[in-house]
Structure formats: C-alpha cells, structure tokens
Amino acid sequence: MPKKIQFSRSSSDSDSPRKYLGPSVSSEPGPGPSSSSSGSCKVNKSSVWSGFLVSPFSIFDSEPKGCLKRGEFCLKKYNGIGWTSAVKRMMNSGSMRRIFGMDKTGIPNGSKSDIWLLGVCYKVVQDDDPSIEPTQSEGFSAFVDDFSSRILVTYRKGFAPIGDTKYTSDVNWGCMLRSSQMLVAQALLVHRLGRSWRKSLDKPLEQKYVEILHLFGDSEESAYSIHNLLQAGKTYGLSPGSWVGPYAMCRTWETLARSKREETGNEDMSLAMAIYVVSGDEDGERGGAPVLCIEDIVKHCSGLSKGEVDWTPVLFLVPLVLGLDKINSRYLPLLAATFGFPQSLGILGGRPGASTYIVGMQDDKAFYLDPHEVQPVVDIKIDKLDVDTSSYHCNTVRHFPLDSIDPSLAIGFYCRDKSDFDDFCIRASELVDQSNGAPLFTITETRSSSTSVEYNDRLTSDTGVPELDSFDAVSPGESDGNRPEDEWQLL
C-alpha cells in the first residue's frame, strides 16, 4: 500500500527573529511539534485560521495579558524595531509565504517529468498507461518512500544550554547548522546502510540507524550535535544566536571531524569516512575556483588509512558563491545536473536568510527538507530501539523554484570506493565540458597540471557586478591568508 503523503500547507519559515508560539496541531501523521500543550492557549487549537493568522501577527501579542484593550495593538517592546521590521517579520513567516504562494507542496504543476532524488531517478508517468495521474503512479510512490526515509533535522527546544550561554533552543538562527546536519546524516546513511535503505513502518528500528540519529542528538554527548558544531566553528564565526554561511559551515565540519578523530584515534578504519572541502588555490569563500585534485585524493586516502585499507570513503563538500543578490542563471542547469550523480548528497542552501537541505529536482523545481519547524528535544539512546523517531522524518514534499536559491551554497558528494570516485570524476569532467567555460568546479590530475578552467565568469553576476558571499558569517578581521589549508578529517 503506498505510503501516505501529506500535501498540507508548507511550514517553512525564514530565520526572521520571531517568537515561537508553541506547537501547531496537525491531523496528518509525520514529524511535527508535539501537541501536548495545545490546549493551554486558544490560538493553538487546530483551526485553519490559527495557522494563517497567529504566526505572522505574533509580534503583537508578546505583552502580558491585560495590557491591551480589545482591538488595540501593543508595540511597547518593538519601538526600537519599527514598522518596517515588523512587516518584514510578517512577510517572512511561513504563514504569509503560504498565503502568497511562495511555498509549494506536491508535484510542481502536476508535472509528468522524471524526478531526480539524490542520484536516483523516479518516473511518475507509466509508459504503458500515460493516463494515470503522476501522484498515483508507482514511481511517485517510490519517490515518496525514498524522500520520507531521509533524515530530517529541525529546530529543537528544551536541550541543555549551549556552552556557557543560556541558549536552550536554536529557533530563528540555527537553520544552516540543521541543514548541514541533514546532509552529513545522509552521507552516513549511505555509508553505513546503503543508498537503497528505506525506513520501515512496521519493523523494529535498525541498530545502525539509531546510532546515526544519536550522533545528531542535542547534547555534548552526541558527536555531531549543535553544541559541538558551535564549539568547533568558533574560528569561522559560529556562535549561538548568529547566522552562518555555507563556507564556514563546511570548514566547521572539517574541524569537528578532526577533533573527533583525535579523540577516538581512528580505532576502526572500516567505519571511517573522510571529509574533504574542495576549494580554490586561495582558500576562502572568495578564494578562486574550486579544484579537485585526483593526485591529492589518492595520496591522502593512503595516508589517512596508514596502510590499513586502500581507500577511505570520502564526503566531498564544495562551497560555492554563484551570484550577488541572486544566482547567476548560467549555473542553474549545472546544479540540477548534479542530482543525477549516483554520488549526490544534495545541496546545502535555500532562499536568502532561510537555509534548507535540497535533495531533488523536477523540471526547474527543487525538492527540499525544511529545518524551520520547532520540535521538542528527543533523547536518542544507542541501546534503545523502541524510541519514537517520527520527528526525524518528513512526509510532506515541498519545493521551490531553483532560480530563487541563495547564490551562497555548498554541494555534497559521497564516494564509497576508488571505482565510485573514478565514476564521479568522469561525470564531473563531463559537466565541466557542458559548462561553456563557467563550471561549478574542476577536476585536475595533479597540482602542476593546467587543465582547470578559468573562472572569471564566476566572479560576476548576470549584471556584471563582482560577487560576494551573501550571508556568510566570518570572524571580524579574518583574511584568506590565515585560513587553514585543505585537510582530511574522519567521521
């Protein structure tokens, strides 16, 4: 029986500062905030209008009860913000974007085109019976099963304070960290369980699956928690309550992997996965053309394994800046094509100010997992296989136009072995040939070779304006010269 897919309104919110009003109530199954407290406030009851009106206008109901007369707005706490910020907050909320049609669910416009999801193609039209609606096809059902098996990591509330701060939630600022956790979690799913793995609804949880979820728990005990990411990313400007961009996020994962490798001493190389950030000759988000050197890859694999294995599985992170205020349109076909790579881990990015994890494409629409839903902390124990993991999965398929993606993003790829890496290099080289002189990144045999493509076109947008990272948080005074060199780290 096909898995039930939810086509409810999208809950994607930008990271605009606005208070969390408590959990919403949904009649559909799947991940969502707990409804245990819904009865404490009338606005939280499951009505259509509460979903539309409560969130965007929440700026007006932050004062204690009794301070307002009926029909009045209390703006005492917002005098320093002003109406411009207030309007921006309303328009950036998920509810207002739903009203104006900026978030969509389901198949784009009933399209009958193939769907690409992290290297797997799904045909939503049956060759023997084209009259079948796309959403009723076996291909779409298989796509939904795959999509809902990807790990969703969202805002959480109620975790232990981060470091010496009082932050017990990452609401309104942690979307980039959560998006990156989803990408790395997907790499670990493929690494440990294989790309064909699907979460079963009627079988006990698998031990390896629970172990992966535990890595992304919300405490210092979990290796890849938001607590440990923030600690590892201090050099790159990460701090609780602050936004961060894809480049800094990629380098943070490299740093965190290094620290965990030093703690464990690489005791089990069979479970090791290297992280490699692909950058240019000059490191940094404005550091030139990303170049992947095959000679370096082979050398580092041999060095990291210390002769124990011939190859170390690799997670490649490729941070890119592809425009100023909007993405240069010449890169859109190239980004879409990467989802056809069997090694695809998707894209770390989204709309300006609202990072998401982009996992698939159909026509010009991007399917994504949204971290902006606030959920209570779940304590995942390695030895507890009866834990409720529904909040780590999503059965609502959301999409947005790829040309609205923020130009600052990062692409991920996973290569399990040498033959997989060779296949990746062939596909990436073919993509370079199709790029008309402006590839996303290049492949070179050795550092001394001159086969890499000139990237002058990368440095200007469609309007010819020099490009800068649109929202990356970099420590003040930090220059490209004191960035660390590319290093291999192990997860």
Side-chain angles (χ1 to χ4, degrees):
M1 181 176 182
K3 180 176 292 188
K4 187 174 183 180
I5 183 69
Q6 180 177 345
F7 292 126
S8 64
R9 62 183 187 273
S10 168
S11 62
S12 172
D13 291 343
S14 78
D15 274 358
S16 305
R18 67 177 179 85
K19 73 165 193 168
Y20 170 63
L21 290 179
S24 62
V25 179
S26 173
S27 61
E28 295 288 348
S34 169
S35 59
S36 60
S37 61
S38 61
S40 63
C41 181
K42 291 184 178 180
V43 297
N44 283 334
K45 290 184 178 180
S46 59
S47 69
V48 174
W49 288 110
S50 67
F52 280 106
L53 299 179
V54 173
S55 178
F57 294 102
S58 63
I59 59 172
F60 300 122
D61 59 10
S62 296
E63 290 295 323
K65 292 181 179 179
C67 75
L68 300 178
K69 296 180 181 179
R70 183 177 297 275
E72 293 182 340
F73 291 127
C74 182
L75 296 178
K76 293 179 182 178
K77 295 179 70 175
Y78 299 91
N79 288 337
I81 298 178
W83 277 103
T84 300
S85 296
V87 171
K88 284 183 178 179
R89 289 169 63 183
M90 286 190 290
M91 295 305 297
N92 281 334
S93 73
S95 299
M96 294 303 287
R97 288 205 304 274
R98 290 192 292 271
I99 292 174
F100 288 98
M102 287 178 271
D103 277 314
K104 305 293 184 182
T105 59
I107 287 186
N109 300 318
S111 174
K112 296 183 178 181
S113 300
D114 295 345
I115 297 176
W116 282 95
L117 179 67
L118 300 176
V120 179
C121 181
Y122 293 99
K123 295 185 178 295
V124 297
V125 175
Q126 304 292 332
D127 294 334
D128 56 344
D129 189 359
S131 64
I132 297 178
E133 286 296 318
T135 56
Q136 304 300 317
S137 67
E138 293 181 2
F140 183 75
S141 178
F143 159 71
V144 170
D145 193 33
D146 191 353
F147 180 89
S148 61
S149 294
R150 301 312 105 204
I151 291 178
L152 171 73
V153 187
T154 70
Y155 289 151
R156 295 284 177 174
K157 62 174 183 176
F159 49 68
I162 299 174
D164 297 328
T165 73
K166 295 182 180 180
Y167 283 95
T168 60
S169 173
D170 61 314
V171 178
N172 295 330
W173 56 268
C175 64
M176 179 59 70
L177 288 93
R178 298 303 189 179
S179 300
S180 74
Q181 286 179 316
M182 285 190 265
L183 189 149
V184 176
Q186 172 60 19
L188 289 171
L189 278 179
V190 178
H191 180 61
R192 301 202 63 189
L193 294 170
R195 179 62 184 87
S196 61
W197 177 84
R198 302 291 183 268
K199 185 177 183 296
S200 175
L201 297 178
D202 53 6
K203 294 181 180 179
L205 299 178
E206 299 174 54
Q207 179 68 44
K208 291 180 179 180
Y209 163 73
V210 175
E211 290 173 356
I212 291 172
L213 288 186
H214 173 74
L215 292 173
F216 299 93
D218 294 294
S219 70
E220 294 181 0
E221 296 177 357
S222 295
Y224 310 131
S225 66
I226 192 171
H227 299 66
N228 291 326
L229 279 169
L230 290 167
Q231 177 64 30
K234 287 183 177 180
T235 304
Y236 298 99
L238 270 69
S239 63
S242 299
W243 296 345
V244 64
Y247 173 79
M249 200 69 252
C250 292
R251 287 298 182 189
T252 294
W253 275 104
E254 192 176 52
T255 302
L256 179 59
R258 178 198 307 126
S259 66
K260 295 304 175 185
R261 175 171 60 91
E262 292 172 351
E263 289 178 10
T264 61
N266 292 343
E267 295 178 358
D268 189 353
M269 286 301 300
S270 65
L271 299 178
M273 181 177 71
I275 288 186
Y276 183 67
V277 178
V278 181
S279 63
D281 293 331
E282 298 179 20
D283 196 18
E285 62 266 29
R286 305 173 189 87
V291 180
L292 194 156
C293 178
I294 296 176
E295 182 181 55
D296 287 349
I297 305 299
V298 175
K299 184 185 300 182
H300 282 291
C301 274
S302 176
L304 282 175
S305 66
K306 298 179 181 179
E308 294 182 21
V309 293
D310 295 331
W311 176 266
T312 301
V314 187
L315 163 57
F316 292 107
L317 295 173
V318 189
L320 300 167
V321 181
L322 305 177
L324 184 58
D325 294 325
K326 66 176 183 177
I327 189 169
N328 189 321
S329 59
R330 70 190 307 171
Y331 296 111
L332 295 175
L334 305 179
L335 286 176
T338 62
F339 288 97
F341 287 30
Q343 301 82 13
S344 172
L345 290 177
I347 297 175
L348 175 60
R351 272 79 60 89
S355 176
T356 61
Y357 176 37
I358 303 172
V359 296
M361 288 291 304
Q362 185 185 38
D363 298 324
D364 61 345
K365 300 299 189 295
F367 296 106
Y368 66 97
L369 290 170
D370 189 355
H372 295 88
E373 188 172 357
V374 186
Q375 305 190 89
V377 167
V378 177
D379 187 16
I380 303 290
K381 299 292 186 182
I382 295 179
D383 56 347
K384 299 291 186 181
L385 300 183
D386 57 350
V387 63
D388 180 8
T389 64
S390 60
S391 66
Y392 285 94
H393 295 275
C394 178
N395 64 348
T396 300
V397 177
R398 298 184 174 94
H399 61 81
F400 65 87
L402 186 62
D403 61 8
S404 68
I405 192 174
D406 192 287
S408 182
L409 53 90
I411 313 175
F413 302 97
Y414 170 81
C415 296
R416 180 180 298 277
D417 50 36
K418 184 61 167 58
S419 62
D420 199 20
F421 175 67
D422 291 341
D423 179 76
F424 167 73
C425 289
I426 292 173
R427 294 173 184 274
S429 298
E430 291 175 349
L431 199 60
V432 170
D433 295 339
Q434 301 167 14
S435 66
N436 295 321
L440 299 173
F441 60 95
T442 61
I443 306 288
T444 182
E445 288 286 346
T446 64
R447 283 291 176 184
S448 60
S449 65
S450 57
T451 58
S452 56
V453 180
E454 291 295 328
Y455 272 60
N456 293 331
D457 290 331
R458 175 186 300 281
L459 300 179
T460 57
S461 65
D462 289 337
T463 58
V465 181
E467 300 190 62
L468 298 174
D469 195 334
S470 58
F471 59 20
D472 209 346
V474 181
S475 300
E478 187 177 24
S479 64
D480 290 341
N482 52 26
R483 300 276 193 183
E485 296 181 357
D486 284 354
E487 295 184 15
W488 283 73
Q489 309 305 337
L490 293 181
L491 283 175

